Amino acid sequence: MGWVRMSERDVRRIEVLTEVLSGRRTVASAAVVLAITVRQVNRLLIRFREDGGGGLIHKGRGKSSNHRLCDGIRGYALLF
């Protein structure tokens, strides 16, 4: 995987999950710091182990919305 642009939130997640994997932090305390559930921390840990830091970014990033209007309708609406 090449370069990945990350938000501060994503970088913070990587820092906390790295602390959990190294044994300096518990899963429960990571959940409190990240303001998510223990179950979600465990899910993030699995993705972090498999895919590294790039696996933590949102999978829909860079894709268009499922609720977008087609270009013709959007162009027509912008005329008025």
Side-chain angles (χ1 to χ4, degrees), residues 26-37:
T26 64
V27 172
S29 69
V32 172
V33 169
L34 297 176
I36 56 178
T37 64

Side-chain angles (χ1 to χ4, degrees), residues 6-75:
M6 292 187 166
S7 65
E8 290 292 325
R9 177 175 158 245
D10 294 331
V11 173
R12 181 68 181 142
R13 280 183 166 187
I14 290 173
E15 291 171 353
V16 172
L17 292 176
T18 302
E19 291 174 359
V20 171
L21 290 176
S22 67
R24 292 185 310 229
R25 183 181 294 275
T26 64
V27 172
S29 69
V32 172
V33 169
L34 297 176
I36 56 178
T37 64
V38 172
R39 180 174 181 217
Q40 186 64 27
V41 171
N42 286 323
R43 292 173 65 192
L44 288 175
L45 281 170
I46 291 169
R47 280 198 354 216
F48 185 58
R49 283 188 198 116
E50 291 175 357
D51 302 329
L56 298 181
I57 62 170
H58 196 276
K59 300 299 181 199
R61 184 179 292 180
K63 296 181 182 177
S64 58
S65 170
N66 292 334
H67 301 289
R68 72 186 176 281
L69 297 173
C70 67
D71 292 334
I73 295 173
R74 185 175 185 275

